[in-house]
Structure formats: structure tokens, C-alpha cells
Amino acid sequence: MPETASTTRAPDALLPSLTPLLHEWLPRQRWFAGKGRRVTGFTLEAATELLPLDGPGPGLLHLLVRVEQPGGPAGTPADCYQLLLGVRTQLPPRLAPALIGRIRQGPLAGRAVYEGLRDPRLAGLLYERLRTPGRTGPLRFHATTALPPALAPRMLDAEQSNSSLVYGDSFILKIFRRVSPGANPDLELPLALAGAGCARVPAPVAWFESGASTLGVLQPYLRNSRDGWRLALDALADGREFTAEARALGRATAEVHLALAEALPTRRLRRSETEQLAAAMDRRLHAAAQAVPALMPYVPGLRAVFAAASGADGGSAVQRIHGDLHLGQTLRGSDGGWAVIDFEGEPAKPLDERRSPQPTVRDVAGMLRSFDYAARTHRPWNADWAARCRAAYCTGYAEAAGTDPRTDPALLRAYETDKAVYEVVYEARHRPDWLPVPMSAIERLSTSR
């Protein structure tokens, strides 16, 4: 498709007219990362009309907006967000929950502005653009295969740091809300895995971008699958073991790591880098103990865990990894096979950090912590169930990888400890009733060898 006219007719006046609405609406969104900090202003990075705003039907306005907020990390730019806004003269009752507000002045005065992804007509338009690779202003659309036309869209309500649309139970489109320059790992890594022939990860079939930023990725939708978190909770509720599933999941994780090592560069971790990793973990522990005094009695033992990792000889392999692996990032199909999804990494961390090579035991540690969390949902707390799952997962990993993650105990323990320290702070702030989950791990990790 040839490039089309893209910027609105009065871009300088557009943002001021939207500012009062965005001030109210943006901080309430689950994917807004700047909660708790005051919004002081907006900067318009790009405005693209994907559907004309002055036509007879709804218009679709694509915006990249930088949000100014004091109190962020020093030296880092303000967060940039991707917005897809529907514009109508009158909003149908079925779209009333999507309303952002009505514009009082500027080029869209009198129009209703709403979350465009919740309008099936506008969500369908986005899919059609992905079907026809090309440019619309600064936006570039890519596809690796021919896609079927006219698939009915629906927006998933389980939004977190992104928004997702399912098309006809065949494809799922993830829209990245907070965008940064550079390839998003949730596109980069699945493409690399597809090239390596790894069937554990759904291969991207289309995506779109602006400049160097990935904006959205379309992948096959595994409609007959269930996520590992729900499966684990069901097993606990039914009083069933989950060790066979954990062992198979360990093998799947290892297969993904092996394929990533084949597709992308690897190297050895230098002793100085190990020391830097451990030092950063120690600093996070110090800050966490100041925030949550319950950690204080365990600080000497936890510091010893990080010191042991710092004193290791180095030489561990580092490569691209998942970066945020837990049971909720896995899907088990009707055939019993496991798939791994959501390779974006921890969205709160800078993109460069998420794209850096890291030890594979970091992913393993994340999954080990996830088994502990699943066990906590059972009453009474079934800690032995979690221990058996943890052991089975590592065994399965070793079967596929040829090396057992438990043979690198200092680094594995350090990553698991660092994760538990983060969890303590999170639970103390947001879910105090869950604080015993990471505190139990803190007690175990600070005293066991």
C-alpha cells in the first residue's frame, strides 16, 4: 500500500485540545507506568490519521505522546506512550465505557474521543493495515505471510503493561503502550527463535513500528491452551501433583534457551561482571531493608548469598533470555506441549538492559519463585508441593540442556534471592497479606547452604 497522508491538519493545536482529557484518563490506565508521580505536561512526538477524522464515520488517530513527570530516574527521558484514539461526533451506547471525553476546543472541538481499540470497526482497520504491508506516514507495517481478511476483533480485558486484541481466535495483536527506541524483545526474540526452528514460541506473522520503535506484534493465538499459572492453581485445588508438568516445562525452557544461544551471540561472564551483578543486588537489598524493616534480621545471611556469587570464578555463559519468566508466561496446549510467550522482559527496566545478554539461571530463578507463589494460594500453604515442583523443573531443564542449573548454585541462589527481595518490597506496598510468601523464601535463602 502506498504511503498516505498521515499528520493531522493542525498538529500544533491538537495536543493542547487533548491535554485536559489525557491528564484525567492516562494515569488511570493499568499500563501507565508513572503512577504516583504528577503529570506536568505532554509533548506530541507523532500524530497519524489511520482513518480520516473528518469523514462520515469514526476517525482513528494514532499518537505517540511523551509524558512529563518530575521525580523519575535521573538522566532518563520522559516516558513515551502509544495511544489509538477513536473520534466520533456521537458515541454509540455500546462504546460509552470507552469514552475518554469530549473536546472543547481546537481542531476536534465538539467531538467525542474514546479508546479506539474497543471499537470493533477501528480494531479491524488496524488488522487490515497489518495485512497490507507498507507505510502510513511515520508508521511502517510488515507481514511475513498472507493473512486472511475480515477477522472479527475483540479486546482482552486482562491488560497489564500492554493492550491485546484477538482476531477471530486466530491471531493476537499485542500493542506496546510505553515505547522506547530499539527493537522490542517481544518481536526480536520470537523472530530469532522462528529462524532457529524453535516451535516453543509462536512466530510473529506481522508487526508495525515507527522509527526505531516497535509498536505492535501479531502472532498466532493459541486458543486451546491454558496458562501455567491457572493449571498450577487447579492442581493445588484438586490436591494433585504438578511435578510431571513442571518437568516438561523445564525441558521447554531449556529448548528455548538452546535455540536463543544458537540464533544470537553468546559469551562468557567476566569475573568483574559477576562482581558488578552481586554489588547491584546488594544495593537493592540495602534499599529494600530500609523500606521493609522485616528484612533486617536476614540481611547478613542475604549479603552472604550475594558475596558467594561475587566470589565465583566467573565463566558462566551469558546470552539472550526471556527476562521475566514465570508460570503466567507459559501456555500448555491441548496436546500437552508447553509454549513460552511474552518476551518483552520486565517493562519497568530500560530497553537496553532488557536486551543485554544474561545468565540463563535468571530465567530459572524466576520460575522457581513462581512455584512458591502458586503454592501460597492453597490453604494450608503447601510448601512441599512447591519444593517438588522446583526440583522437577530443574531436572527437566537438565534433561534438555545437558547441564543442571543447580550446578551453578551461587549465581542461581543470588538471582532467586534478588527476586525474593524485590517481591518483599512489592508485597509490603501492595498486598501485605502476601508478604509471608517472599519472606518464607528470604528465611530459607538466608540460612540454607
Side-chain angles (χ1 to χ4, degrees):
M1 174 178 282
E3 181 174 346
T4 63
S6 62
T7 53
T8 58
R9 276 159 292 285
D12 292 339
L14 176 64
L15 188 60
S17 68
L18 288 171
T19 290
L21 304 183
L22 296 182
H23 262 293
E24 293 292 326
W25 180 75
L26 261 179
R28 298 200 307 266
Q29 306 312 301
R30 291 182 62 184
W31 40 261
F32 185 71
K35 288 182 172 61
R37 291 189 287 127
R38 185 168 56 96
V39 174
T40 58
F42 303 95
T43 302
L44 185 63
E45 298 289 319
T48 307
E49 290 186 22
L50 288 172
L51 198 61
L53 304 183
D54 53 2
L60 179 58
L61 180 63
H62 181 282
L63 299 180
L64 294 176
V65 176
R66 199 167 294 280
V67 181
E68 304 294 338
Q69 291 183 277
T76 59
D79 289 333
C80 183
Y81 291 91
Q82 176 181 195
L83 310 179
L84 289 110
L85 305 181
V87 179
R88 288 176 181 255
T89 302
Q90 296 294 331
L91 199 63
R94 61 184 172 81
L95 291 175
L99 178 67
I100 296 173
R102 191 170 289 275
I103 296 181
R104 297 182 180 277
Q105 59 183 2
L108 300 178
R111 305 286 188 89
V113 176
Y114 61 101
E115 170 56 86
L117 297 181
R118 294 198 175 276
D119 186 336
R121 179 172 176 182
L122 300 184
L125 171 73
L126 194 56
Y127 175 74
E128 291 304 315
R129 284 301 293 112
L130 289 165
R131 288 187 62 242
T132 53
R135 293 182 65 105
T136 299
L139 305 180
R140 301 188 303 278
F141 296 84
H142 308 267
T144 62
T145 186
L147 299 172
L151 296 180
R154 59 185 171 91
M155 190 174 183
L156 297 183
D157 289 327
E159 295 188 67
Q160 295 182 10
S161 58
N162 302 295
S163 300
S164 295
L165 293 160
V166 173
Y167 291 97
D169 284 342
S170 297
F171 302 101
I172 183 168
L173 173 64
K174 180 186 286 188
I175 303 289
F176 301 115
R177 289 300 196 164
R178 187 170 63 153
V179 298
S180 303
N184 192 294
D186 214 8
L187 172 64
E188 180 189 17
L189 297 187
L191 281 176
L193 288 164
C198 179
R200 295 290 188 179
V201 178
V205 295
W207 63 93
F208 69 110
E209 58 194 1
S210 176
S213 300
T214 308
L215 300 180
V217 180
L218 187 74
Q219 293 174 284
Y221 181 59
L222 307 180
R223 62 181 179 275
N224 293 321
S225 61
R226 300 187 67 202
D227 72 80
W229 176 254
R230 178 50 54 188
L231 290 169
L233 298 191
D234 287 349
L236 281 158
D238 295 341
R240 291 185 285 106
E241 286 295 306
F242 198 66
T243 51
E245 293 90 338
R247 189 169 180 171
L249 184 53
R251 289 195 294 269
T253 304
E255 290 175 20
V256 170
H257 283 165
L258 291 171
L260 285 172
E262 175 187 340
L264 297 168
T266 66
R267 60 179 179 83
R268 291 289 168 181
L269 195 65
R270 296 185 293 272
R271 173 69 177 270
S272 61
E273 291 177 303
T274 307
E275 293 172 349
Q276 291 168 7
L277 279 174
M281 292 175 179
D282 195 85
R283 288 193 296 272
R284 288 192 287 270
L285 170 62
H286 176 76
Q290 298 299 313
V292 186
L295 275 173
M296 284 294 188
Y298 303 100
V299 166
L302 299 176
R303 295 195 70 186
V305 172
F306 299 143
S310 179
D313 293 334
S316 298
V318 291
Q319 61 166 80
R320 297 298 296 276
I321 63 171
H322 184 281
D324 189 25
L325 191 62
H326 54 77
L327 286 165
Q329 309 282 43
T330 65
L331 296 173
R332 191 179 185 213
S334 56
D335 61 355
W338 285 102
V340 181
I341 59 172
D342 292 339
F343 280 76
E344 189 180 3
E346 296 183 28
K349 294 192 173 179
L351 185 61
D352 287 346
E353 182 177 339
R354 287 185 272 144
R355 297 184 68 211
S356 63
Q358 300 173 64
T360 55
V361 292
R362 180 181 173 184
D363 276 350
V364 173
M367 189 61 73
L368 298 186
R369 295 298 312 124
S370 194
F371 287 122
D372 269 3
Y373 264 77
R376 178 65 171 87
T377 66
H378 187 270
R379 298 291 189 273
W381 189 355
N382 198 335
D384 290 340
W385 181 95
R388 291 190 294 272
C389 287
R390 291 156 57 88
Y393 177 81
C394 290
T395 297
Y397 189 99
E399 290 170 349
T403 57
D404 193 318
R406 292 167 292 191
T407 60
D408 193 0
L411 205 52
L412 176 60
R413 238 178 118 203
Y415 271 111
E416 190 178 354
T417 302
D418 188 50
K419 182 74 170 179
V421 168
Y422 163 81
E423 293 163 355
V424 165
V425 176
Y426 179 88
E427 303 300 5
R429 289 175 176 171
H430 303 287
R431 299 188 302 183
D433 289 347
W434 283 75
L435 188 57
V437 184
M439 287 303 300
S440 175
I442 291 294
E443 182 177 2
R444 169 174 57 83
L445 292 162
S446 67
T447 57
S448 63
R449 290 185 178 275

